[in-house]
Amino acid sequence: EVQLVESGGGLVQAGGSLRLSCAASGFTFDDYTIGWFRQAPGKEREGVSCISSADGSTYYADSVKGRFTISRDSAKNTVYLQMHSLKPEDTAVYYCAAAAHSPSYYLLHHDVEFDYWGQGTQVTVSS
């Protein structure tokens, strides 16, 4: 059974930090690009970041560039999203997803290309 399980969300003040984790199982982790997406109330889901399984190349949405860092640990089948300098507009449910494609900005903007999704973890940033 394919599973992607997010953890690490919570409530944090503006300017604070959180680290999200995405633990994967049930598929060959190293064959997939892993992405992070988020969806705020009343808004469409947006791509945040994705990371390659092959060379570790990373892509970020402009809104998080310089503040968020994505990384992966193949030994643990886990991808992390380290978030710094959080803003109230970062408040959303964060999802991780897996795609059998190379990472790219195109992939970040086309979530239909992702095959597997987690259930999400809530991140709330207070002002």
Side-chain angles (χ1 to χ4, degrees):
E1 179 189 6
V2 172
Q3 280 194 316
L4 291 168
V5 180
E6 302 95 337
S7 61
L11 173 63
V12 65
Q13 288 189 333
S17 299
L18 282 174
R19 189 178 79 156
L20 305 183
S21 299
C22 170
S25 61
F27 62 98
T28 306
F29 183 72
D30 286 345
D31 287 347
Y32 284 77
T33 289
I34 303 297
W36 283 98
F37 293 79
R38 66 186 182 186
Q39 188 166 22
K43 294 189 177 181
E44 290 189 357
R45 187 164 58 193
E46 64 169 338
V48 174
S49 182
C50 59
I51 186 166
S52 166
S53 60
D55 60 8
S57 56
T58 57
Y59 295 81
Y60 297 94
D62 287 343
S63 58
V64 306
K65 204 170 289 184
R67 299 188 298 122
F68 291 10
T69 302
I70 191 171
S71 61
R72 65 191 290 156
D73 184 339
S74 291
K76 296 182 178 179
N77 281 11
T78 299
V79 170
Y80 304 98
L81 186 69
Q82 179 68 57
M83 306 185 295
H84 293 299
S85 302
L86 283 162
K87 306 174 181 179
E89 50 264 43
D90 294 318
T91 295
V93 178
Y94 284 70
Y95 302 89
C96 65
H101 302 286
S102 297
S104 64
Y105 289 114
Y106 172 88
L107 203 59
L108 267 186
H109 289 90
H110 291 81
D111 56 6
V112 295
E113 300 290 345
F114 284 78
D115 303 300
Y116 308 123
W117 290 84
Q119 293 300 306
T121 185
Q122 176 71 47
V123 171
T124 303
V125 184
S126 62
S127 57

